Structure formats: C-alpha cells, structure tokens
Amino acid sequence: MPGRVLAGPPSVKIVLIDFHTHSNASDGALSPEALLERAAERGVALLAITDHDLVSGYQRAASKPQGSVRLVPGVELSCVWSGATIHVVGLGIDCEHPAMHRGVARMAAAREERADKIARRLEKRGYAGALAGARAVAGESQLGRPHFARWMVDQGHVKDLNEAFDRFLGQGKPGDVKAFWPELDEVVAWILGSGGVPVLAHPLKYRFTNTKLKRLVQAFTAAGGGAIEVTSGRQTPDQVRHLQRLADEFDLEISIGSDFHRDAPYAADVGVDLSPFAGRRGVWQRWLGDN
Ligand code: MN
Ligand code: MN
Ligand code: MN
C-alpha cells in the first residue's frame, strides 16, 4: 500500500515522527527491517520500535543501516494498576542495562507461564499438542493467543480464527489466561533505571472514567512517569485536547505515535505530523535537535 503523500507549501517542512510502532518481533506484521524501510519511505525523521515486552525487534533494526531515519530505542511494557492492564512505553532506554535486561526476562517468563497454562487448558479439553503447535506457528515471534488460534484452525479443530476466539481463547473462555504482569511502578522503575523516559501509552484505551484516568496519571507521575501519549493512532481533536490538558495538569511531557501494527482500514500509517504539537513540551525534543 503506497504511503500517504503529505503535500504542503514548499516553505513548510513537514516533520513526521513516531514513538509507538510494532514489528513482527511482537504482534506487528512487518519485520523490523521492513518497518524501518516503511518509515524511511514515508519520510519519518524519528522512529521508535516499541514492541510488547521485548527489545529484539528494535535491536535487529538498530544493527542495520538506518538511512534517513533516526531510530530511538523503545519498548512497550505491560503492567497492572488497580486491577487493570496498563501499557507503558519506554523511550531512549539502554537495552543492555541490567534493569531493562532483568525486566524483559521477567516479562518473557510471564508470557511463557501464560502460554503453558493456555496449552494445558486446551489439552485438558482434548486438543493435544497445543503448546508445540502454537510455538511452531509463532516461529521467532512472541508466543500468544493468536498463535494458538491459528494452530486450532490449521488442525481443523475450528473453522476459523473467530471461532477459535469465540469458543476457546476470547474473554472469559478457557484460554483467557491473564499473565502475571508487574505493577505500574515496577516497569516505570525499569525504564528510569535504564536511562529512558516512561510514557503512559494510549490513556483513553483503558476506557476509564475521567476520575479514574486522573488517578492513573497521578500514580504514573508519582512513580516517576515523564510523558503521556496525546495521539496513538486515530484520535479526534477533542480527545487530543483532553490528553494535552491532562499532560499540562500533571506537568508531563507529551509523546506522539501511531501504534502501527499493520496496514488496515482505519488504522494509522507509520509517522505522525509533528506540526500541530510544535511548541509543546515533547519527548522528541531530546532527539530532534533544533528542527
Ligand atoms: Mn499489540
Ligand atoms: Mn498498547
Ligand atoms: Mn502498542
């Protein structure tokens, strides 16, 4: 799919940046190299690959020539706050730092434990070989419910992915096993410990009341959080303003990203136009220089 052409008066330089994207090292469709290539084609100046709970996608891209794109180390960590699963993006982290290294290892163990439990539950229902099967589907990607679903389809246990989720893997079904994520303040500490900026990801996605959202932002700020995303894909101007006010209220910087996983109708492509946010206190100022 060709990238969107951004036209503007010749004197206006449009700067695209993206601090929230996924490669197929987690649940994105593009390889880290292809994601980097997409960003370059679109003219993205700064890119963070923020895969779920791992840094191998970023590291793979970072080991390749990056052309015109400046790659910022990133990750998106899952955690728990007040009983809800929350995502925190870490930007500018040192992936080799023991704080991040240990953290990422712990996340991998939590996912592994969850996959084991999903497999045991499926096997108890007569679907033998679920773990090995799903692992084969996942290949080098992080093992998750979509791989179990694909395996069930391939084995003819269900007719399609929808049925796999409806009957076995969706919310409230046997394969709906919650991973044992760390607490919000723990993942924030890993990011800070490894020299990064903790960013509260897609604050409106949790569907909290405004009161609860403020409590979350309060807790995040108290833990040492530094920024919140004001755009993470498609948002209405009202939503962006709401999040900007929240950032101002808690004296946080803002971050912008697409949360790109794959080309899909209604999904944002890689790269967010920085111009509406120029003049705001943004995390990008660390890497953008004087642009
Ligand atoms: Mn995802
Ligand atoms: Mn997320
Ligand atoms: Mn994401």
Side-chain angles (χ1 to χ4, degrees):
M1 192 181 288
R4 187 164 51 107
V5 175
L6 289 164
S11 59
V12 178
K13 188 175 165 221
I14 290 175
V15 177
L16 295 182
I17 68 174
D18 202 326
F19 282 155
H20 191 153
T21 64
H22 295 270
S23 78
N24 67 1
S26 65
D27 58 346
L30 302 183
S31 68
E33 295 84 354
L35 181 56
L36 192 57
E37 208 171 289
R38 170 70 66 90
E41 279 165 17
R42 305 239 323 133
V44 173
L46 282 175
L47 175 75
I49 298 176
T50 55
D51 279 313
H52 295 286
D53 309 317
L54 53 81
V55 294
S56 55
Y58 157 74
Q59 286 173 321
R60 237 174 80 185
S63 69
K64 303 280 158 37
Q66 285 140 50
S68 56
V69 181
R70 179 155 180 204
L71 204 52
V72 171
V75 69
E76 180 175 17
L77 297 170
S78 309
C79 61
V80 174
W81 175 79
S82 196
T85 301
I86 304 294
H87 288 173
V88 178
V89 164
L91 297 173
I93 51 170
D94 172 2
C95 301
E96 305 293 341
H97 192 286
M100 188 52 60
H101 221 266
R102 274 198 304 269
V104 165
R106 181 163 156 200
M107 301 307 263
R111 281 188 186 273
E112 203 60 32
E113 224 174 284
R114 179 173 71 157
D116 264 355
K117 202 161 174 183
I118 293 172
R120 280 202 305 274
R121 288 182 175 188
L122 292 177
E123 286 175 2
K124 228 168 91 184
R125 282 164 180 79
Y127 302 104
L131 190 58
R135 221 187 275 286
V137 172
E140 282 183 21
S141 299
Q142 198 175 48
L143 185 55
R145 281 182 294 172
H147 305 118
F148 283 99
R150 168 53 56 196
W151 173 77
M152 296 198 87
V153 176
D154 292 348
Q155 293 295 303
H157 297 319
V158 290
K159 68 175 191 309
D160 56 22
L161 295 175
N162 281 336
E163 192 191 341
F165 274 91
D166 286 350
R167 289 180 53 202
F168 298 103
L169 295 157
Q171 205 178 345
K173 302 300 168 194
D176 177 25
V177 176
K178 299 281 175 260
F180 302 104
W181 301 134
E183 294 288 325
L184 173 72
D185 50 358
E186 292 178 79
V187 302
V188 168
W190 301 346
I191 296 167
L192 291 172
S194 57
V197 193
V199 181
L200 183 63
H202 41 63
L204 299 179
K205 213 173 155 185
Y206 311 116
R207 302 190 175 282
F208 289 166
T209 61
N210 206 31
T211 311
K212 190 166 182 188
L213 181 56
K214 279 195 183 187
R215 275 181 48 225
L216 167 62
V217 177
Q218 171 90 62
F220 174 72
T221 308
I228 65 174
E229 286 181 347
V230 296
T231 161
S232 45
R234 298 223 183 276
Q235 259 85 51
T236 67
D238 266 352
Q239 290 173 320
V240 176
R241 275 192 293 273
H242 176 195
L243 292 169
Q244 179 70 66
R245 277 198 305 275
L246 208 53
D248 291 342
E249 185 178 339
F250 288 91
D251 198 24
L252 293 166
E253 292 178 69
I254 60 169
S255 182
I256 58 178
S258 62
D259 205 358
F260 177 83
H261 284 72
R262 58 184 44 77
D263 289 313
Y266 310 113
D269 204 339
V270 181
V272 181
D273 179 8
L274 185 57
S275 56
F277 307 100
R280 295 288 185 178
R281 223 152 50 83
V283 285
W284 54 83
Q285 283 155 355
R286 288 171 183 73
W287 298 284
L288 208 53
D290 296 318
N291 272 353

